[in-house]
């Protein structure tokens, strides 16, 4: 007994139809404009080297809360936070009257080869937070760290707790040695210093290839076959193109910082096991005593819940909230449900603190 | 055919080839390699000739088998490529050998990953067959190629996830990355040699400047803080 019940003539028709739709999709894609990077009005308020801090223009009456500074990952571009009008966490926060800032790490060039985690965690992130504190005259900000940016935010908040009023981490890896962590398994035996010696900055393309190899069929064959399904839908094609543009817009990684991140986090799991020193300061999560909201995605293949949930047992804060979003690592930014659920969850949590 | 048949004993007259009766190890290796290489080339030509004499459309199993044998022979022989560097160009010779050796290492590592991926592909098909018609097959009938493709993707991802978490796969991935790094390192070294020959700035030199600038900027920031 077999479930296979494909009629030969029907299959031939399906192939012809698929080819027609793929060709139509390709033609329609060729007529689209290159996607913009972000969609909400904003101003540059601070720069240091290649780092830019944006402040978003308000879209609603102020909620009267301290500003939110978003610290995104180094490995992708931060406009994912404001991808398009109906897929924008930033718009959702602005609509609730929050004052939103976003750090753009830029594209490290050859001259940034020797930037270390100290530069990112203390100097750049610290510089952005200090700028907001001084210009607005507030003692501390609400820091929102996303993915790897959440790990950097955790380090910063542990080293400089005075500047962080509340900490929100989204899909943030904390324990890098959980059994599901494929990236950690693959990178554990690599001599990362030698890798940086050979490459200088680590090419974004190399990271992209690595991320694709986590789910190679879903992220290539199946995704692109899906163009046939949206060939007649210009809005869906525009969304597809925007996502593709973002996924493959991967900055090179500053060599020294990359080596430190891989060695200290992926290989030695120091955030959990201890011994993490950044810029001469010991990163001890027990020093982190501000309220923490830890948001994770239930079906996250990059940062599985088991990698982020141990945070609760590591921090000094007694005000810890965990929130599970029913979706994956990308869906948490761009799904329709996320647009409704996440800004509300974050704003309501902040209002109580 | 022995290479000496072509060149006679003249090869022993090369200055670094030691004495007439006791050729140096280096020369022997070069000669062996040359003989091996000529032998493989000759076998390849024989194979092509035998194929040409066959009728068009004849199954090419023999050709495939022959090519496999030659590929294996080449791999085996290239492993023996290394000869000690000597003479005025010894540094360049050693660098070239290192580049070839790292390239071969990368090829072997890539072949190992391909081998593991082939096993994943086979496992994916086995899983697909089981889902479609195995004893535990259940679910609605699959009536379109698209459904079949999606099912194959699902089976493929399951097979891949199983393999990707294994120690074998992690070791193969690590070796592939390490081999690529070493190859890249040697490629860069060669390019830098060329750049130096034309008095062009090299990556290493620019890196050294960037490192100094980075350190100076740090010192300046610290001084400004005090």
């Amino acid at each position: 007994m077999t479930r296979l019940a494909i009629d030969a003539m029907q299959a031939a028709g399906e192939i012809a139809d698929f080819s027609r739709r793929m060709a139509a999709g390709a033609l329609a894609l060729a007529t689209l404009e290159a996607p913009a990077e972000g969609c909400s009005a904003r101003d540059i308020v601070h720069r240091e080297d290649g780092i830019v801090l944006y402040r978003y223009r308000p879209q609603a009456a102020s909620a009267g809360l301290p500003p939110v500074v978003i610290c995104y990952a180094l490995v992708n571009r931060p406009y994912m936070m404001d991808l398009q009008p109906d897929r924008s966490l930033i718009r959702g926060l602005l609509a609730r009257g929050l004052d939103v800032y976003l750090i753009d790490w830029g594209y490290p060039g050859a001259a940034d080869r020797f930037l270390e985690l100290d530069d990112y965690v203390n100097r750049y992130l610290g510089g952005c937070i200090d700028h907001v504190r001084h210009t607005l005259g507030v003692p501390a900000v609400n820091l929102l760290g996303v993915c790897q940016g959440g790990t950097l935010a955790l380090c910063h908040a542990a080293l400089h707790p005075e500047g962080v009023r509340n900490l929100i981490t989204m899909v943030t890896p904390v324990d890098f040695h959980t059994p599901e962590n494929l990236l950690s398994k693959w990178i554990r035996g690599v001599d990362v210093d030698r890798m940086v010696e050979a490459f200088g900055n680590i090419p974004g393309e190399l990271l992209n290839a690595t991320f694709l190899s986590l789910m190679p069929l879903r992220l290539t064959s199946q995704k692109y076959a899906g163009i046939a399904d949206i060939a007649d839908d210009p809005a869906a094609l525009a969304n597809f193109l925007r996502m593709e543009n973002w996924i493959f817009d991967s900055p090179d990684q500053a060599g020294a910082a990359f080596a430190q991140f891989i060695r200290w986090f992926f290989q030695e799991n120091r955030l959990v096991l201890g011994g993490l020193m950044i810029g001469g300061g010991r990163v001890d999560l027990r020093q982190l005593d501000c309220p923490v909201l830890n948001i994770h995605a239930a079906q996250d293949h990059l940062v599985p819940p088991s990698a982020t949930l141990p945070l609760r047992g590591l921090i000094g804060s007694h005000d810890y909230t965990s929130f599970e979003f029913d979706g994956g690592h990308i869906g948490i930014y761009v799904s329709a449900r996320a647009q409704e659920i996440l800004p509300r969850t974050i704003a309501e949590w902040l209002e109580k603190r | 055919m022995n290479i000496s048949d072509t060149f006679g004993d003249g090869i022993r007259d090369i200055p670094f080839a030691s004495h007439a009766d006791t050729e140096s190890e280096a020369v022997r290796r070069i000669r062996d390699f040359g003989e091996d290489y000529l032998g493989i080339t000759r076998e390849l030509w024989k194979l092509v000739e035998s194929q040409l004499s066959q009728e068009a459309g004849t199954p090419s199993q023999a050709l495939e088998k022959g090519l496999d044998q030659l590929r294996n022979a080449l791999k085996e022989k290239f492993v023996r490529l290394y000869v000690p560097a000597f003479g005025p160009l010894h540094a360049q010779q050693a660098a070239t050998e290192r580049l070839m050796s790292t390239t071969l290492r990368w090829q072997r590592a890539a072949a190992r990953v391909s081998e593991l991926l082939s096993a994943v592909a086979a496992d994916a098909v086995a899983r697909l067959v089981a889902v479609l018609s195995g004893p535990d097959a259940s679910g609605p009938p699959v009536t379109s190629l698209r459904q079949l493709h999606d099912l194959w993707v699902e089976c493929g991802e399951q097979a891949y996830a199983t393999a990707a978490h294994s120690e074998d796969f992690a070791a193969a991935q690590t070796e592939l990355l390490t081999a690529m790094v070493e190859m890249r390192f040697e490629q860069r070294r060669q390019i830098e040699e060329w750049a130096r020959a034309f008095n062009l700035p090299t990556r290493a030199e620019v890196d050294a400047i960037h490192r100094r600038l980075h350190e100076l900027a740090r010192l300046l920031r610290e001084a400004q803080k005090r």
Side-chain angles (χ1 to χ4, degrees), chain A residues 42-62:
Chain A
R42 62 186 185 177
D43 301 293
I44 294 172
V45 293
H46 173 70
R47 279 182 192 274
E48 186 171 4
D49 299 337
I51 314 301
V52 175
L53 177 67
Y54 291 101
R55 185 183 193 185
Y56 284 84
R57 294 183 188 167
Q59 295 186 2
S62 170

Side-chain angles (χ1 to χ4, degrees), chain B residues 68-175:
Chain B
D68 269 348
Q69 283 171 348
L70 286 178
R71 262 195 296 271
N72 289 334
L74 263 176
K75 266 197 282 186
E76 191 188 316
K77 302 307 176 193
F78 267 90
V79 168
R80 291 161 47 191
L81 180 60
Y82 171 77
V83 291
F86 52 83
L89 297 176
H90 73 282
Q92 288 87 334
Q93 181 191 339
T96 305
E97 282 173 1
R98 278 197 307 273
L99 177 60
M100 293 183 78
S101 156
T102 52
T103 306
L104 288 170
R105 179 181 174 183
W106 176 79
Q107 282 181 342
R108 281 196 292 272
R112 173 64 183 145
V113 171
S114 295
E115 191 183 325
L116 291 171
L117 290 178
S118 299
V120 169
D123 185 23
V125 172
R127 285 170 191 256
L128 182 63
V129 170
V131 165
L132 287 172
S133 54
D136 299 327
S138 61
V142 176
T143 56
S144 73
L145 290 175
R146 185 60 183 278
Q147 286 176 319
L148 186 64
H149 172 259
D150 289 347
L151 208 52
W152 170 73
V153 167
E154 201 178 310
C155 293
E157 289 294 357
Q158 285 170 5
Y160 181 76
T162 306
H165 280 279
S166 71
E167 282 184 20
D168 261 6
F169 200 92
Q173 284 280 12
T174 301
E175 171 59 10

Side-chain angles (χ1 to χ4, degrees), chain A residues 279-309:
Chain A
R282 178 175 295 280
V283 179
D284 181 356
L285 291 181
R286 286 171 300 185
Q287 299 299 315
L288 207 163
D289 58 359
C290 68
V292 174
L293 169 61
N294 188 17
I295 300 171
H296 67 273
Q299 288 92 44
D300 194 332
H301 73 289
L302 277 173
V303 184
S306 61
T308 189
L309 291 174

